[in-house]
Amino acid sequence: MKNYLDGGEAILEAFRKLKIDYIMSSPGSEWSPIWEALARQTLERKAGPTFVESWHETLAVNMATGYTLITGRPQAVLLHAGVGMLQGSMGVHGAMQNEVPMLVMSGESQTLGEDPDLDIEQQWYGGLTVGGIERLVEPVAKWARAVTSPHTLYESVIRAGEMAQRVPQGPIYLNVALEHMLHAWTPPSAAREIPPAPLVEPRREDVERVAELLRNARSPVIVAETSGRDPEAFTALAALADLIAIPAINGRSNAYANFPTDHPLYLGMGRYQAIEDADLVLLVGGRAPWYPARQRPTVGKIVAIADNPLKNHMVYQNLHADLYLEGDIASSLKLIIAAVKSGKIDAGAVDARRRRWTREHEAYVAGLRAEREKAQNGAGIDPLSLVGALGEVMPADTIYVDETITHSGILRQHLPQTMPQSFFRGSGGLGQGIGTALGIKLAARERPVAALIGDGSFLYNPIIQALGASKRHGLPVIIVVLNNKRYEAMRKGHVHHYPDGASASKDLHFGVTIDGPDYEQLGCHFGFHGRRVEKLAELKGALQGALTASKGGNTAILNVLVTR
């Protein structure tokens, strides 16, 4: 057996130095040098990343995204040439939108068989090589470049991995020529250990100013959107709210569990009434909280707390911030807590606020409960009844992945989110929910993972490929299809702009009806659990059956026919 020391080993060693756990891949023929290096790693029992293959490129990227959302650690994704990169670009775009760090690579040939000393497969000449795959990726990635030579390969991969983790975090793409990977490689004589990305903290004087504003505020309010991705930020935000009785609201585009929904200071999602008379708003991890953006929500001061408050991937953004506290969110919140405690706190004012907002929270919770109870009328399944059943049946540590459109507001308002990392909602396009759920399950095998997906959204996913990955890699998840047999968002959008038009008047809609398959049967070829649920009386039992199946190692698909 010959031991090859080439660019494949260079890349794999760079992955080891970057402490990458998994190589997510929809395999391409340019990656034989990596496979050879992985084979040696296995035979030599050497520590290094695990190869996880899937049958679709976007799925591979989504699984990397889900894993990183839980762990915070970026992973590697290997795709095939330009065509594979185009297939995976939806996932890369979503990773950029969500500021998820990852290292994405694909390759092509440079010599196209014309090098007499290197026999390259003929597939590259005539279609696969496009002469610069990075040009296809630049609009949807943080940074995209080609590796310049075999001599820069190792350090280019290291640099890309480090760059992905710097603020703003995001996917980095490298185009690696097959010839570079086949070229002999000499490891560095003294390879450095790669340090983790440092946490950046705001200036001390800015923290003190915010702390003073909080101590003097009559009616401060917290609005959170993306802070909960970090469990430490989730905990610190609750601690700050407790300290001086600040009510917390999830912003209109919240994508994570940012604040415990059973906390007596929690006031719901997108319920901005408390802001109207607020003299201070802490916008924590804000992305697009106000709509329309031109409309300032309060006459009080707005303090934006985030490591990257101004999103350069957004075409337009208006936070109306009067003060920025830029740095790691969890660190910033802890510094604010310490600074607030160092001064005099008006205990009477804090107690009065706590009583007021606790009453508001109790009224809010009672209102939600009344909505769910009202939805119990009739034999059909209202989406509110489904959410209520999930809250009763699913364990408290369940992780929910939302890929609905019409029902997203209901889910985010009613789903229990009492623990860190209990809710995730992606962005950048539909069809990524199941892959993200699988990646989350890979990182949190001990917790139940439930993907809540509309029937329209479900059909955008690479379904067979995702189910195959679930089976192959032992990643059982619960997929709940909220099936209303239509693209309801299409109908609503049409009626919104043409309320008295021909379509609305005659109930004649285009692009709305979904004549979908029996979703519950799609997992049968993999031995998965499936059930169609049409009656309210069957719902809890169906959820319990799905939970039992997932605990037993099998993915479950529930096709829940909802009334709206």
Side-chain angles (χ1 to χ4, degrees), residues 327-412:
D328 176 70
I329 294 177
S331 299
S332 297
L333 293 173
K334 292 174 185 177
L335 289 171
I336 293 172
I337 291 171
V340 169
K341 287 181 176 178
S342 68
K344 182 175 176 54
I345 299 174
D346 187 339
V350 169
D351 288 342
R353 276 202 304 268
R354 195 179 308 278
R355 290 193 297 271
R356 174 192 175 186
W357 296 122
T358 297
R359 289 194 299 270
E360 288 284 336
H361 168 78
E362 291 170 351
Y364 161 69
V365 171
L368 293 182
R369 188 184 306 114
E371 288 180 20
R372 293 194 297 270
E373 289 174 353
K374 184 178 179 181
Q376 300 288 333
N377 297 327
I381 302 173
D382 188 278
L384 282 169
S385 299
L386 172 58
V387 178
L390 285 165
E392 292 182 38
V393 173
M394 298 300 292
D397 63 344
T398 298
I399 302 172
Y400 295 101
V401 180
D402 173 24
E403 194 176 32
T404 65
I405 298 297
T406 303
H407 303 117
S408 183
I410 291 173
L411 296 181
R412 287 183 285 162

Side-chain angles (χ1 to χ4, degrees), residues 213 216-221 275 277-281 298-302:
L213 288 171
N216 296 330
R218 170 185 54 81
S219 184
V221 176
I275 297 178
D277 64 346
D279 53 354
L280 178 65
V281 174
T298 178
V299 296
K301 287 189 177 296
I302 298 175

